[in-house]
């Protein structure tokens, strides 16, 4: 029986979850479009290098979350754990590095081999934007404003805090990295196991540790902000001034980092108080080093990704739209005519359900349970007289409607609309 369950960490999106899901994606699509981001899609699998190459020395840490496999041709492929690397790869594959700036929006599934828990899945979905080309802090402000507008349109912005940090440029970050390692080396065997590994491969990520022991050690660690050079400080000041001007509230969070080396300057997260430990609904930053690490020219970029499942758990409830109109054959002889009539009504733009088996009584009962509000019933007798019965399931009223005339279904369609309008 276990084979009839979805794989651990994955979930089916049945119509009501799908409706919430689509609602979130549609809101993101609208917000992205408001800022001039155009939708695109990359394949859900890529050559493994697309994800491992930019990670350099820290690759083993991140690839342990990856779904990678050799395909029948012997190529190592990876199901995408995120979409930024894929989008940057697509820019280079498409020869678009001469056509900057590029502004892209995407939505789709991502795959990470993580420990599943509430708000953390192995197949999950993200919406995101990438702004490729500009290195100006105003671009960072724009994408953050777009994220805020997206969350606002879902009604969740008020329960979110925008955490913001600067990782500085490469020089600043390397200087800090050295200082952090020198400090943490003194505590090497007191750090958590994860942090001990990170100390050699990805020390900045230790700042983000949730381990209490690590956090105590970090209290006296050197602060990243003290290592920011003038350029790095200017970028951050420009960004915060733009956010302030737009009325976007933010919280300075010196411990917020993105682990990977290609991230620089801006790092940010919108965190909600309503989802417990998995409270980050949208996160992003600047990744000026990524294109080069993938083997292309230097192309600055900044972007964010948001978790669709986490956002779908918040906000107002949305339910799937079901048809409200059914066409029903009252006997076997009328079945073909009922099918034809359903097609004609669909032709004029109505959503029609056509229940297939059982007596009219049974069909009506089921239809009522399923949210159908108007039933169009026809049997042999109605066919002979070229009429149908129109039944309002809310009031129980029924009336006979003629199908003769030039525009046969138009009067019926009008009557259906009248019945759906009435409270
Ligand atoms: P976390 O710290 O929660 O692991 P992350 O830094 O790995 O997050 P990002 O790579 O920045 O997350 O992805 C952006 C967003 O995608 C997250 O803020 C979250 O909303 C969502 N997300 C990330 N991983 C998962 C997952 N395994 N299941 C569901 N949503 C996820
Ligand atoms: Mg993660």
């Amino acid at each position: 029986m276990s084979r009839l369950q979805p794989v651990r960490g994955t979930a089916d999106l049945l119509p009501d979850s799908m409706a919430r899901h689509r609602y979130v994606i549609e809101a993101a699509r609208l917000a992205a479009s408001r800022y001039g981001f155009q939708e695109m899609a990359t394949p859900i699998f890529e050559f493994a290098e697309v994800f491992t190459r930019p990670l350099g020395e820290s690759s083993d840490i991140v690839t342990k979350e990856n779904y990678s496999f050799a395909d029948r041709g012997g190529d190592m492929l990876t199901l995408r754990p995120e979409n930024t690397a894929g989008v940057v790869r697509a820019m280079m594959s498409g020869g678009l590095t001469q056509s900057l700036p590029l502004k892209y929006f995407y939505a789709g599934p991502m795959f990470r081999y993580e420990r599943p828990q509430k708000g953390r899945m192995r197949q999950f979905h993200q919406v995101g934007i990438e702004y490729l080309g500009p290195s100006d802090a105003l671009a960072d402000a724009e994408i953050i404003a777009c994220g805020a507008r997206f969350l606002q349109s879902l009604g969740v912005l008020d329960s979110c805090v925008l955490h913001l940090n600067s990782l500085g440029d490469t020089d600043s970050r390397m200087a800090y990295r050295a200082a952090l390692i020198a400090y943490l080396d003194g505590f090497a065997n007191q750090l958590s196991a994860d942090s001990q590994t990170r100390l050699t491969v990805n020390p900045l990520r230790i700042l983000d540790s949730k381990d209490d022991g690590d956090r105590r050690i970090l209290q006296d660690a050197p602060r990243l902000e003290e290592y920011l050079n003038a350029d790095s400080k200017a970028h951050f000041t420009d960004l915060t001034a733009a956010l302030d001007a737009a009325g976007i509230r933010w919280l300075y969070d010196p411990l917020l980092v993105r682990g990977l080396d290609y991230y620089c300057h801006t790092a940010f997260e919108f965190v909600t108080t309503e989802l417990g430990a998995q409270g980050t609904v949208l996160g992003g930053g600047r990744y000026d080093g990524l294109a080069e690490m993938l083997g292309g020219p230097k192309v600055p970029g900044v972007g964010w990704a948001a978790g669709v499942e986490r956002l779908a758990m918040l906000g107002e409830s949305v339910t799937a739209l079901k048809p409200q109109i059914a066409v029903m054959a009252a006997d076997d002889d009328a079945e073909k005519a009922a099918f034809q009539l359903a097609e004609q009504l669909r032709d004029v733009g109505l959503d029609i359900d056509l229940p297939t088996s059982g007596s009219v009584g049974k069909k009506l009962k089921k239809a009522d349970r399923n949210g159908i509000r108007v039933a169009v019933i026809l049997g042999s007798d109605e066919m002979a007289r070229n009429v149908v019965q129109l039944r309002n399931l809310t009031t129980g009223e029924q009336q006979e409607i003629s199908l003769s005339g030039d525009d046969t279904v138009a009067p019926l369609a009008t009557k259906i609309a009248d019945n759906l309008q009435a409270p």
Side-chain angles (χ1 to χ4, degrees):
M1 278 308 275
S2 71
R3 291 286 155 185
L4 288 180
Q5 300 297 317
V7 172
R8 187 164 136 82
T10 72
D12 300 312
L13 291 169
L14 296 176
D16 280 337
S17 342
M18 191 72 212
R20 296 182 71 90
H21 201 89
R22 278 184 49 176
Y23 184 76
V24 171
I25 294 171
E26 199 43 46
R29 190 173 274 134
L30 284 171
S33 159
R34 187 68 56 89
Y35 289 77
F37 290 85
Q38 291 181 298
E39 186 157 4
M40 58 94 81
T42 64
I44 60 170
F45 51 83
E46 298 271 355
F47 290 118
E49 292 106 83
V50 171
F51 304 107
T52 53
R53 216 199 261 182
L55 310 178
E57 52 180 347
S58 56
S59 61
D60 54 305
I61 258 203
V62 183
T63 50
K64 83 169 200 253
E65 275 191 9
N66 280 358
Y67 279 93
S68 297
F69 57 97
D71 74 359
R72 287 166 196 274
D75 285 318
M76 270 313 284
L77 306 180
T78 296
L79 300 184
R80 60 185 189 192
E82 50 90 22
N83 208 187
T84 305
V87 168
V88 171
R89 195 272 308 138
M91 164 188 72
M92 297 189 292
S93 311
L96 295 168
T97 54
Q98 302 303 314
S99 318
L100 304 173
L102 297 166
K103 301 173 87 171
Y104 291 137
F105 166 77
Y106 62 80
M110 307 295 156
F111 306 85
R112 296 182 192 178
Y113 195 80
E114 308 205 68
R115 194 167 68 77
Q117 50 198 291
K118 187 178 171 228
R120 190 175 295 286
M121 313 200 41
R122 290 180 173 175
Q123 174 174 331
F124 63 101
H125 297 77
Q126 285 185 336
V127 288
I129 58 175
E130 310 295 351
Y131 196 173
L132 300 164
S135 51
D136 199 276
L138 207 54
D140 309 31
E142 277 243 292
I143 66 142
I144 292 175
C146 176
R149 198 179 288 268
F150 160 48
L151 297 177
Q152 173 78 57
S153 72
L154 289 175
V156 307
L157 186 64
D158 289 343
S159 77
C160 285
V161 175
L162 166 59
H163 293 244
L164 188 63
N165 191 19
S166 170
L167 306 174
D169 60 11
T170 312
D171 289 346
S172 307
R173 216 170 44 261
M174 286 305 148
Y176 175 65
R177 187 186 149 115
L180 184 65
I181 294 177
Y183 170 80
L184 289 176
D185 263 341
F187 301 90
N189 40 31
Q190 287 156 256
L191 289 169
S192 67
D194 270 355
S195 293
Q196 291 191 21
T197 323
R198 286 178 176 143
L199 190 52
T200 45
V201 293
N202 196 356
L204 257 60
R205 192 72 205 227
I206 297 176
L207 297 180
D208 196 30
S209 171
K210 307 284 180 286
D211 181 88
D212 286 340
D214 289 353
R215 294 192 85 92
R216 264 195 305 279
I217 294 170
L218 286 168
Q219 272 171 8
D220 298 318
R223 313 271 288 182
L224 210 160
E225 67 218 83
E226 289 157 14
Y227 288 79
L228 296 182
N229 58 21
D231 282 355
S232 303
K233 279 187 183 143
H235 189 96
F236 192 64
T237 313
D238 289 350
L239 167 61
T240 55
L243 292 178
D244 291 342
I248 296 168
R249 291 169 51 190
W250 53 277
L251 177 76
Y252 179 58
D253 182 350
L255 295 184
L256 174 65
V257 288
R258 314 244 99 205
L260 308 173
D261 278 351
Y262 53 81
Y263 281 107
C264 61
H265 293 298
T266 312
F268 66 94
E269 283 182 350
F270 285 89
V271 183
T272 173
T273 47
E274 290 181 15
L275 286 178
Q278 266 58 254
T280 304
V281 291
L282 186 152
R286 180 163 275 284
Y287 47 85
D288 294 350
L290 178 58
E292 240 173 341
M293 287 179 111
L294 277 170
K298 183 168 165 82
V299 178
V302 61
W304 53 251
V308 175
E309 280 79 2
R310 291 186 194 177
L311 286 167
M313 287 191 269
L314 300 165
E316 47 203 277
S317 68
V318 181
T319 48
L321 272 186
K322 292 182 184 172
Q324 300 188 311
I325 311 159
V327 172
M328 299 174 184
D331 50 61
D332 291 352
D333 294 336
E335 261 172 16
K336 208 170 106 201
F339 176 61
Q340 272 175 347
L341 180 60
E343 285 291 283
Q344 286 174 301
L345 291 170
R346 289 166 182 150
D347 284 344
V348 298
L350 299 176
D351 294 349
I352 304 292
D353 188 39
L354 184 69
T356 49
S357 60
S359 65
V360 174
K362 277 204 178 122
K363 285 177 182 165
L364 282 170
K365 244 191 213 142
K366 228 180 197 169
D368 194 36
R369 271 208 306 271
N370 285 333
I372 298 282
R373 293 169 56 205
V374 175
V376 179
I377 306 164
L378 76 165
S380 312
D381 171 53
E382 280 81 12
M383 279 167 67
R385 293 188 293 119
N386 210 12
V387 297
V388 294
Q389 306 297 330
L390 179 66
R391 189 180 175 91
N392 184 319
L393 299 194
T394 317
T395 62
E397 278 165 36
Q398 188 162 310
Q399 63 186 127
E400 189 166 288
I401 307 217
S402 167
L403 292 182
S404 47
D406 294 341
D407 208 355
T408 47
V409 297
L412 174 59
T414 310
K415 276 279 186 269
I416 290 174
D418 290 348
N419 274 277
L420 287 177
Q421 288 237 309

